[in-house]
Amino acid sequence: MVSVDVNSDIGEGFGHWYVGDNADAQIIPLISSANIATGFHAGDPSTMYTTVALARKHGVSVGAHPGYRDLLGFGRRHIHTAAHELIHDIIYQIGALREIASAHAVTLQHVKPHGALYMHLANDHEAANLFIHQIHRLAPELILYVMHGSLLHQLALDQGHPVICEFYADREYDQSGSIVFTRKTGALNLSQIAQKILKACRENKVTTIDNQEISVQFDSICIHSDSPGALAVVQTVRQTLEQAGISIQAPDCMNTKLYKQ
């Protein structure tokens, strides 16, 4: 691997409240793509506006990070709702960030669902199929960040919609290749993260929670800014990649590879 995108979930505070280390201003210059919370699980108009401005200042690509309508649970709880209502919520959130980005003369690069919504769309055929058809109709150029091999990934490929597959630097994997979903994370071991990143980039392998090796396919490394010590994790990932001669850059939306993963 000679280059990779590094993305992070950003702008996940609300008003005067924030999660994690409140380090967005330090994290954004170190990444290539920002997934900006769009108000339902976190974020608010002013936070979105400020975060887009920071991304533009540092040349970081901007994406929408829509979630369940769940400020109290930070979007990490599954909410039972009709598929069409869920997709309406997603479109609403994407539209909000698109207009705020436009105010900064920034083009929206991608969309990445958040938390429990991400997991729901990775597995629920009705919701995933409706989402893909709607997003492809409304914004066929908008790159979708997905878990490799998930239902949403396959439906996007079938539709001919551009995708980016992610590798999770700060989450554990199970033997199916899925991340181990958790509501709360503790401090992470930076040395282990560095080794994990190098192994994934050089060998396309990751060690699971059961101490088994599985293959991983990805073009972007994800780091969650709400994790304790997130800034140190981002710094470690960037330093590890640079020392390995791997450049950090956002996806090229004209790259035909995005349609064929």
Side-chain angles (χ1 to χ4, degrees):
M1 179 174 284
V2 296
S3 67
V4 70
D5 176 49
V6 175
N7 78 80
S8 186
D9 304 337
I10 296 293
E12 292 188 313
F14 187 81
H16 295 290
W17 291 269
Y18 60 87
V19 296
D21 299 336
N22 192 27
D24 284 2
Q26 290 76 45
I27 289 174
I28 286 176
L30 303 176
I31 62 177
S32 47
S33 296
N35 318 312
I36 300 178
T38 47
F40 275 30
H41 78 279
D44 58 78
S46 292
T47 300
M48 292 159 67
Y49 194 92
T50 300
T51 308
V52 171
L54 278 170
R56 180 187 179 189
K57 176 182 177 181
H58 295 286
V60 173
S61 294
V62 167
H65 195 39
Y68 276 122
R69 194 189 297 262
D70 182 28
L71 280 174
L72 185 63
F74 196 65
R76 288 178 174 163
R77 303 180 296 186
H78 180 266
I79 295 177
H80 295 279
T81 186
H84 70 277
E85 291 180 356
L86 184 61
I87 304 312
H88 295 165
D89 280 357
I90 296 173
I91 293 171
Y92 179 92
Q93 293 176 78
I94 293 172
L97 187 65
R98 186 196 292 267
E99 289 306 300
I100 289 176
S102 179
H104 290 282
V106 170
T107 299
L108 206 62
Q109 171 193 256
H110 67 276
V111 58
K112 175 187 170 181
H114 165 80
L117 177 59
Y118 185 100
M119 302 302 292
H120 179 66
L121 291 173
N123 296 287
D124 185 272
H125 190 278
E126 182 184 8
N129 188 57
L130 183 56
F131 172 56
I132 287 296
H133 279 84
Q134 288 284 45
I135 199 68
H136 191 69
R137 181 176 66 85
L138 296 171
E141 77 291 345
L142 203 58
I143 301 170
L144 180 60
Y145 279 48
V146 297
M147 184 188 307
H148 187 273
S150 66
L151 172 64
L152 187 62
H153 179 208
Q154 188 57 56
L155 289 174
L157 294 180
D158 292 346
Q159 184 67 45
H161 195 87
V163 293
I164 280 289
C165 293
E166 298 183 283
F167 178 76
Y168 305 93
D170 52 5
R171 295 290 187 267
E172 298 289 350
Y173 281 78
D174 63 24
Q175 291 190 46
S176 74
S178 298
I179 56 173
V180 179
F181 188 64
T182 179
R183 296 188 187 277
K184 192 171 183 179
T185 58
L188 301 171
N189 185 303
L190 299 180
S191 176
Q192 290 179 357
I193 287 177
Q195 295 173 17
K196 179 180 178 181
I197 290 296
L198 282 178
K199 186 172 187 175
C201 290
R202 289 172 172 170
E203 304 175 30
N204 291 110
K205 299 283 187 181
V206 68
T207 302
T208 70
I209 55 172
D210 300 316
N211 204 34
Q212 303 294 316
E213 278 197 355
I214 61 171
S215 297
V216 287
Q217 300 295 325
F218 64 98
D219 289 288
S220 185
I221 297 171
C222 173
I223 304 158
H224 297 84
S225 68
D226 60 293
S227 300
L231 176 58
V233 173
V234 176
Q235 291 169 333
T236 295
V237 169
R238 186 174 184 95
Q239 181 181 36
T240 299
L241 293 172
E242 289 177 342
Q243 290 178 347
I246 300 171
S247 64
I248 298 170
Q249 60 183 41
D252 177 2
C253 65
M254 299 303 292
N255 188 346
T256 56
K257 183 181 178 183
L258 299 182
Y259 299 82
K260 300 177 180 178
Q261 298 183 59

